[in-house]
Amino acid sequence: MEQKPARVRLIDAAHELMLTKGLARTTTKEIARAAGCSEAALYKHFLSKEELFVVVLQERLPKIDLYKLLPGPGAGVRSVEENLTVIARQAALFYEQSFPIAASLYAEPRLKERHDAAMRELGRGPHLPIRGVSDYLRAEQTAGRVRPGADTYAAASLLLGACAQRAFAYHATATGEPPQSLDDFAASLARTLLQGLGT
């Protein structure tokens, strides 16, 4: 059986270790060992552990890629509510899977500083999906499907913030489960948000 390329093995190993140990406690040496590579091979493919973390988020977790999720504002393919439901579902999945990895950043202030600097250098960050959803809603405003004057950035922040909170809040409950299924949550969130945005 053919072995996966080193880059793929490194991303797989990093993903697994970051889920089980957390980003802060995972070393590049451990990632390389788990991938069956040398640490030098890791640095041949990635500039830093932070860059590898960003690649894990991009390649191993559900995407919040609005260009792929949406058929295009005003295209008439789906309603605004349906589009927001699709975004909410993907965002909730993304935060659910990335939260265990990202949470360890906040335990290590210096690592978080390095991570934030790496994200800025790579042109990435948690603000981009908010901006993307806001841009989508502004396009829907122009098309007359969202109320003029509605604060699209606040609406995008509320939508994605609720999705992130879902990943964080329910592990402490008696069952460890959210009160709604993912599909029900996404549909309810989109419907509720749209009540403040509708024409």
Side-chain angles (χ1 to χ4, degrees), residues 73-76 78-80 135-150 152 194 197-199:
R78 292 194 301 234
S79 68
V80 178
D135 289 347
Y136 160 69
L137 290 171
R138 267 201 312 278
E140 293 287 22
Q141 265 179 332
T142 302
R145 302 206 307 171
V146 165
R147 178 174 52 79
T152 61
L194 198 57
L197 291 170
T199 52

Side-chain angles (χ1 to χ4, degrees), residues 53-132:
F53 171 66
V54 172
V55 171
V56 167
L57 292 182
Q58 289 175 325
E59 297 188 15
R60 292 295 181 272
L61 301 182
K63 307 282 189 293
I64 313 178
D65 186 339
L66 300 182
Y67 296 106
K68 290 182 180 172
L69 289 176
L70 302 178
V77 178
R78 292 194 301 234
S79 68
V80 178
E81 184 177 327
E82 288 170 315
N83 286 334
L84 290 177
T85 299
V86 170
I87 294 168
R89 189 180 193 289
Q90 285 303 108
L93 276 172
F94 173 81
Y95 291 121
E96 181 182 300
Q97 294 183 30
S98 64
F99 184 76
I101 299 171
S104 63
L105 279 174
Y106 290 87
E108 297 281 343
R110 275 183 281 167
L111 178 62
K112 184 168 186 320
E113 284 172 23
R114 288 202 318 271
H115 169 72
D116 290 346
M119 293 284 267
R120 282 190 293 271
E121 196 172 308
L122 293 164
R124 304 285 182 203
H127 61 292
L128 293 180
I130 297 172
R131 188 186 300 163

